[in-house]
Amino acid sequence: MKLFGTDGVRGKAGEFLDAITTMKLAMAAGIHFRKHSTTNKILVGKDTRRSGYMIENALVSGLTAVGYDVIQIGPMPTPAIAYLTESMRCDAGIMISASHNPYDDNGIKFFDNHGNKLNSKCETEIENIFANEEYLSSQQKTGKEIGASKRIDDVIGRYIVSIKSSFPKDLTLQGIRIVLDCANGAAYKVGPTILEELGAEVITINNTPNGYNINDDCGALHPKNVGKVVLETRADIGIALDGDADRLVVVDEKGEVISGDKLIGALCTYLSSQNLLSKNACVATVMSNQALEDYLNKHNIELQRSDVGDKYVLEGMKNCCLNFGGEQSGHIIFSDVAKTGDGLASALQVLAMMVKSKKTASEILNPFDLYPQVLKNIIVGEKKPLNKIEGLKELQEEIKSLGMRDLIRYSGTEKKLRVLLEGKDKKLVDEYMEKLTEFFKNRL
């Protein structure tokens, strides 16, 4: 059974991700982690979804059934789980969250003892254990070998100190007015606290989670709402997080949403100017605008491309010993600061850049213009291998000869073909997107 997707296990809570599946998954994961166990402890955190209670209890049941002791810390950002897993010397960490998805979805993300997301090999091993009912049953403990669980509520301070320490000690946020949208999610406590303790005047919105309002017309998916408040309050900048606070979207003082590619470009050149960019290179995905790559090349910075997904960005960074990368969606990774994408850690780096430059957000976060880019999802009857579609290679060569870039791939979860087309001439991009759309509709 295929359980893992791009970012952990995710699906409709109570349907795909029900209590029984979750408990079996926890047992399988516990058996996997026990092979390299040193402390017999696993950390579990969650976001603010109502279904988190069900999934948390099912996880605890499964983990204790195979002998693990469980530490439950309640609502905390995903990157906090990554940090605390290593800090508290646990064998693994588990985050219950479906990130930016609606409240009725939920998910489970696993981290190893160093706070890193699991690689594909580990995920496959857990799936194989999950499918082996006889082996699962044989690994259940009895008597004194059954695990225990306890809830700890004071670890929030450890994460706050960790994130605050990433902000330069010679700088302050005094005099900076910030609108922070917590998406009614996991950062509703830590987010305002971190910014206020660094001296900012914080106007916090969407920080009253009720189990159902996470990501609901708020947060990183709806940054224009932050823009309105920025204008109303005359704030210097707006920061929108998603439900588990592993990504951010920034809004400037004019209420304009900053593209994730522009954010990556501005941060990359800032790090380079401070001699903080390892090998003067960074990683972004194949989705990032070509204008980003051209801008970085002008500053003698190499851009390396990865597959879509923050874990692939991180994998690319590790393979080349780089310390910075990101996705245009707002997953920004500073590996010197955090183990994974961290919306709050990234926000502090943006604020440090702004304070140090003594420029407004609009001045510093618009370093280049994006090339016209069109993305279209085409519903298909079957997912025919792209290399077997007659005439596609020739059409792609024609597109390339006209100075455009295409990215064509199937959705991993739906019967859809995702087509991205990009170039400097908007009219030409639109014209060839129509050609591509008709081409695929006649063949799929």
Side-chain angles (χ1 to χ4, degrees):
M1 181 179 180
K2 182 67 178 170
L3 295 170
F4 287 88
T6 304
D7 193 12
V9 179
R10 190 177 299 186
K12 194 74 70 181
E15 293 180 13
F16 172 75
L17 201 58
D18 60 15
I20 295 172
T21 300
T22 301
M23 185 171 67
K24 284 178 59 182
L25 178 61
M27 292 172 67
I31 293 166
H32 167 77
F33 290 125
R34 183 167 297 288
K35 293 180 180 179
H36 306 287
S37 175
T38 57
T39 64
N40 199 51
K41 297 186 299 183
I42 289 183
L43 186 75
V44 175
K46 60 182 179 179
D47 66 20
T48 56
R49 295 164 210 267
R50 179 68 173 262
S51 58
Y53 293 104
M54 172 193 73
I55 292 172
E56 181 180 28
N57 287 325
L59 281 172
V60 171
S61 293
L63 291 169
T64 54
V66 295
Y68 258 111
D69 293 336
V70 183
I71 301 171
Q72 298 164 259
I73 62 172
M76 286 284 279
T78 290
I81 305 306
Y83 165 74
L84 291 167
T85 296
E86 182 176 44
S87 172
M88 297 175 70
R89 300 189 178 186
C90 296
D91 287 342
I94 301 175
M95 177 64 181
I96 303 164
S97 176
S99 193
H100 59 275
N101 286 30
Y103 83 90
D104 49 353
D105 285 343
N106 217 326
I108 301 172
K109 304 179 184 184
F110 294 93
F111 298 90
D112 66 19
N113 61 329
H114 296 296
N116 299 313
K117 289 185 177 180
L118 302 190
N119 58 36
S120 298
K121 183 180 177 182
C122 292
E123 291 176 346
T124 300
E125 183 174 327
I126 291 173
E127 287 176 341
N128 290 338
I129 297 171
F130 176 93
N132 192 333
E133 297 274 358
E134 187 176 336
Y135 184 55
L136 276 180
S137 180
S138 71
Q139 294 302 302
Q140 292 189 61
K141 305 300 181 184
T142 60
K144 293 182 179 180
E145 289 187 326
I146 295 173
S149 70
K150 64 179 177 179
R151 188 172 294 277
I152 300 178
D153 297 318
D154 61 354
V155 294
I156 186 172
R158 296 193 194 195
Y159 177 64
I160 289 172
V161 169
S162 167
I163 295 301
K164 281 172 59 183
S165 67
S166 70
F167 190 75
K169 289 182 172 58
D170 60 330
L171 301 180
T172 177
L173 294 180
Q174 288 284 347
I176 304 292
R177 182 178 294 170
I178 302 169
V179 176
L180 175 66
D181 187 341
C182 297
N184 292 313
Y188 77 102
K189 287 183 181 178
V190 298
T193 302
I194 289 170
L195 295 175
E196 286 169 357
E197 289 188 4
L198 288 170
E201 178 188 347
V202 185
I203 299 162
T204 308
I205 60 175
N206 299 310
N207 64 328
T208 54
N210 60 17
Y212 308 109
N213 59 2
I214 187 170
N215 299 315
D216 186 14
D217 195 29
C218 60
L221 290 184
H222 305 276
K224 288 186 178 179
N225 296 337
V226 178
K228 291 177 184 176
V229 182
V230 166
L231 292 175
E232 289 168 2
T233 59
R234 297 184 180 181
D236 298 293
I237 193 170
I239 295 166
L241 305 172
D242 66 342
D244 66 338
D246 66 350
R247 69 171 174 167
L248 87 159
V249 173
V250 175
V251 177
D252 67 23
E253 80 283 359
K254 297 177 182 178
E256 297 294 324
V257 178
I258 302 297
S259 154
D261 283 332
K262 288 186 178 183
L263 192 62
I264 292 170
L267 286 167
C268 207
T269 50
Y270 167 71
L271 291 173
S272 179
S273 70
Q274 303 294 307
N275 295 316
L276 296 173
L277 186 65
S278 177
K279 296 185 178 180
N280 230 35
C282 72
V283 178
T285 74
V286 290
M287 295 290 288
S288 277
N289 200 285
Q290 183 63 36
L292 168 63
E293 186 167 354
D294 292 347
Y295 168 76
L296 292 178
N297 287 343
K298 286 179 183 176
H299 288 79
N300 298 313
I301 297 171
E302 180 187 358
L303 176 67
Q304 298 183 14
R305 301 265 186 173
S306 75
D307 287 338
V308 178
D310 63 325
K311 76 175 182 180
Y312 297 113
V313 173
L314 189 56
E315 190 177 283
M317 290 166 59
K318 286 180 178 177
N319 289 342
C320 299
C321 299
L322 305 181
N323 64 347
F324 179 73
E327 291 188 284
Q328 61 181 185
S329 62
H331 287 114
I332 310 293
I333 304 172
F334 294 86
S335 63
D336 293 340
V337 176
K339 294 285 183 179
T340 184
D342 189 323
L344 289 167
S346 300
L348 290 191
Q349 299 305 310
V350 172
L351 291 165
M353 176 174 62
M354 198 170 88
V355 172
K356 201 153 193 171
S357 69
K358 297 180 181 178
K359 293 181 180 179
T360 64
S362 62
E363 289 173 322
I364 201 167
L365 297 177
N366 285 293
F368 59 89
D369 292 325
L370 298 171
Y371 300 150
Q373 190 181 78
V374 180
L375 177 64
K376 193 158 189 176
N377 293 316
I378 302 170
I379 298 173
V380 298
E382 63 170 319
K383 294 182 178 180
K384 190 184 293 185
L386 295 176
N387 61 0
K388 293 187 177 179
I389 299 176
E390 191 175 340
L392 178 57
K393 184 179 178 182
E394 290 76 12
L395 183 52
Q396 287 179 300
E397 286 175 353
E398 183 181 340
I399 287 168
K400 187 177 180 181
S401 71
L402 293 169
M404 292 183 287
R405 184 175 76 96
D406 70 87
L407 177 64
I408 302 169
R409 62 192 179 93
Y410 288 110
S411 164
T413 56
E414 302 172 281
K415 282 195 170 182
K416 288 182 180 178
L417 181 71
R418 306 198 192 283
V419 181
L420 180 145
L421 194 58
E422 175 188 284
K424 296 181 181 181
D425 186 332
K426 178 70 164 63
K427 186 177 178 181
L428 200 59
V429 170
D430 289 338
E431 178 187 332
Y432 272 81
M433 178 54 82
E434 285 186 23
K435 281 189 179 183
L436 280 167
T437 301
E438 282 302 309
F439 175 86
F440 286 117
K441 282 183 176 177
N442 292 330
R443 289 165 175 78
L444 296 175

